Amino acid sequence: MAESGSGLSDPLLCLRHSIASNHPPVPTSSPDVIASDPEPNLAIATHLQFTEPSRQSFALNTPTRFVSSDKPVDLRSIYFAWQKKDVAIPDYFASAEQLNKQLSASEGAGGKVQHLVFVERLDLITWLEGASDESEYIKGLDAEATAAQATGSAQVASGAAGGIATIPSGAAGARPGKQIDPRLAEIYKGERTMGDRNSVLRGIKPTDFSHIRKTAETFLGRSRNRAGPASTTAANIASNPALVSLPKKPGRRPDPIILLSPSASSLLRMGNIKSFLDAGTYIPPDSSLAGSTSSANILHCSRLLPSIDPQRPLRFILVDTPEQFKPDYWARVVAVFTTGQIWQFKGYKWQSPPDLFKNALGIYVGWRGEDIPSTVRGWGRGVVSTQVDKWNSHAGVQGRWRDREVVEGLWGAIEESMRNRGWGKEGGPGMK
């Protein structure tokens, strides 16, 4: 719970709002929102103080709505994951282990930081930055707390509780000897104390009207049987907006995954894959023009695939190792970039290349004019082979006009492979 009653009462929403307003929260060792000093050491700090949207403080051991392994993750773990959003997964785990040792020490605040796997951490960071309004790991706000607040406001409005007490004649503070006219006293009995916005609305949100829609459907069905024409029913529904079923909000679509080769000989690595797939330009991975850091092990790019979903672009997750995969993540792997080295598939669900490329599209990218490795050719039609021009440092990106054609061909092959494997608007096979 927040130490202050004003402002947002949910720590996740407070953290997201403070990040959006560029006023990050400050760890402190006291719940006092006025006189507490900052405590940068997260192993000693006990509270997290916010200044936006209002000044308030949350205990760092407060459980949040973010759930990992069916358990709520505390605010300290959430804030620590946000602090380490730009570091690689191994460094993040090492920092978490070091922080847990400091927390368990005699001068530590106690508790333990919970590790988040790479997909959970990516989902959390995307939601906190405002790039996504939905998260499959964040539960909805507690409706009971909202209902209790609205009920209390309604009681204030009706005079059953709260409000401003009237001063009776002769009571302390009243003018001595003053008598209230009986007619005026009768009017005062019918006076109603004004409440806030929730009390004026007299409602407890959210309200479920599904039973009304079911009842209305019964009567509308009888009307169809008697009247016959469908236009009559449509007119009845249009004349009464309360009978119109609200559109069901679509759930979050699982993001497809593209695996890269961790080999140093690969032309496409984490440092240059985004510029290649997004901008259609090949830049060497060790070049400063690549745009991505080679230390990053999680990236994502978006692409509209019209034959799968003509309205919403699909967001692809780009990784070069499956070390943090859960078993169900393999169903989301749609493509694997390879150099033809079989050791790359060690640790994969399908370690045999024929089995792997029956379940995901293989992609080989080499230099134009050089021979394709015999191992790649032996894997058959499950692997798409293409070539790009060698990098010319004098021409730079201005001479890479042929790369776009190669990239468009690869996206077309990925789209066709996903469509053949059952991907649609709501996700892949078994995810809808």
Side-chain angles (χ1 to χ4, degrees):
M1 293 178 58
E3 304 294 342
S4 172
S6 62
L8 296 172
S9 60
D10 180 67
L12 277 181
L13 289 178
C14 279
L15 181 57
R16 186 183 189 190
H17 192 283
S18 65
I19 292 172
S21 60
N22 202 22
H23 291 84
V26 179
T28 63
S29 57
S30 169
D32 192 341
V33 297
I34 302 299
S36 60
D37 295 326
E39 176 52 66
N41 191 346
L42 204 58
I44 302 176
T46 59
H47 289 73
L48 196 61
Q49 185 178 122
F50 295 85
T51 57
E52 291 291 339
S54 63
R55 185 174 291 274
Q56 54 185 325
S57 179
F58 292 91
L60 283 170
N61 59 1
T62 303
T64 67
R65 295 183 290 114
F66 193 93
V67 177
S68 175
S69 301
D70 298 328
K71 294 181 180 180
V73 180
D74 63 353
L75 182 58
R76 191 190 307 273
S77 302
I78 296 293
Y79 182 68
F80 178 75
W82 166 253
Q83 284 185 319
K84 302 296 181 181
K85 63 185 178 70
D86 294 323
V87 304
I89 286 289
D91 296 336
Y92 163 68
F93 282 170
S95 301
E97 291 295 338
Q98 183 179 2
L99 178 58
N100 284 334
K101 292 180 181 178
Q102 297 175 357
L103 286 170
S104 59
S106 57
E107 65 274 10
K112 184 178 181 181
V113 169
Q114 184 173 347
H115 296 170
L116 301 180
V117 299
F118 85 100
V119 173
E120 294 174 341
R121 190 170 70 133
L122 176 63
D123 191 90
L124 172 66
I125 294 171
T126 303
W127 185 85
L128 288 175
E129 289 178 338
S132 174
D133 292 331
E134 298 175 354
S135 171
E136 59 182 296
Y137 301 101
I138 297 179
K139 291 186 176 180
L141 287 173
D142 188 359
E144 295 181 0
T146 308
Q149 182 179 3
T151 302
S153 301
Q155 290 178 347
V156 170
S158 62
I164 303 175
T166 57
I167 302 177
S169 177
R175 185 178 298 177
K178 181 180 178 181
Q179 299 293 332
I180 298 179
D181 188 287
R183 292 174 297 178
L184 185 59
E186 190 67 24
I187 295 174
Y188 282 162
K189 289 181 181 179
E191 186 179 20
R192 185 167 150 192
T193 306
M194 295 298 294
D196 58 10
R197 175 179 176 275
N198 287 329
S199 63
V200 173
L201 293 176
R202 296 172 174 269
I204 299 176
K205 297 181 179 180
T207 304
D208 185 9
F209 291 103
S210 60
H211 63 287
I212 297 178
R213 293 199 297 269
K214 293 178 181 179
T215 304
E217 182 63 27
T218 302
F219 289 101
L220 290 174
R222 295 175 182 174
S223 176
R224 291 192 198 101
N225 294 334
R226 290 195 302 266
S231 57
T232 305
T233 302
N236 292 336
I237 297 177
S239 63
N240 191 350
L243 299 179
V244 180
S245 298
L246 295 175
K248 182 180 179 182
K249 188 176 182 179
R252 172 162 182 176
R253 177 174 55 197
D255 297 331
I257 300 174
I258 296 178
L259 276 169
L260 305 180
S261 172
S263 174
S265 63
S266 176
L267 301 187
L268 294 172
R269 302 202 293 273
M270 296 299 288
N272 64 344
I273 187 63
K274 275 188 65 67
S275 62
F276 186 70
L277 293 180
D278 280 348
T281 304
Y282 175 81
I283 301 174
D286 54 353
S287 173
S288 60
L289 302 174
S292 300
T293 59
S294 58
S295 60
N297 61 347
I298 303 174
L299 298 171
H300 65 267
C301 66
S302 296
R303 176 79 178 189
L304 184 67
L305 303 182
S307 65
I308 295 178
D309 190 342
Q311 302 296 329
R312 293 185 297 166
L314 280 83
R315 189 179 71 165
F316 291 81
I317 297 176
L318 310 174
V319 294
D320 60 357
T321 174
E323 290 179 357
Q324 304 300 325
F325 271 26
K326 291 183 178 180
D328 58 311
Y329 292 171
W330 285 104
R332 294 159 56 180
V333 175
V334 297
V336 178
F337 280 83
T338 180
T339 59
Q341 298 166 302
I342 300 180
W343 63 261
Q344 173 188 346
F345 311 135
K346 184 179 180 180
Y348 282 24
K349 178 180 178 181
W350 307 283
Q351 298 186 12
S352 171
D355 293 338
L356 173 63
F357 299 126
K358 286 180 182 177
N359 293 275
L361 177 69
I363 299 176
Y364 170 81
V365 179
W367 293 125
R368 194 180 305 277
E370 294 186 357
D371 293 334
I372 299 174
S374 58
T375 53
V376 175
R377 293 198 306 268
W379 291 337
R381 295 188 301 175
V383 180
V384 175
S385 300
T386 187
Q387 295 176 321
V388 295
D389 295 327
K390 291 186 177 181
W391 175 258
N392 186 335
S393 58
H394 298 289
V397 296
Q398 303 298 328
R400 307 302 305 182
W401 54 272
R402 299 178 67 179
D403 294 344
R404 169 62 68 179
E405 180 181 359
V406 174
V407 173
E408 292 298 326
L410 289 180
W411 277 121
I414 293 174
E415 180 177 4
E416 181 181 1
S417 175
M418 292 177 63
R419 186 176 65 251
N420 293 339
R421 287 179 170 86
W423 279 80
K425 291 183 178 181
E426 305 303 326
M431 305 178 194
K432 302 176 181 179

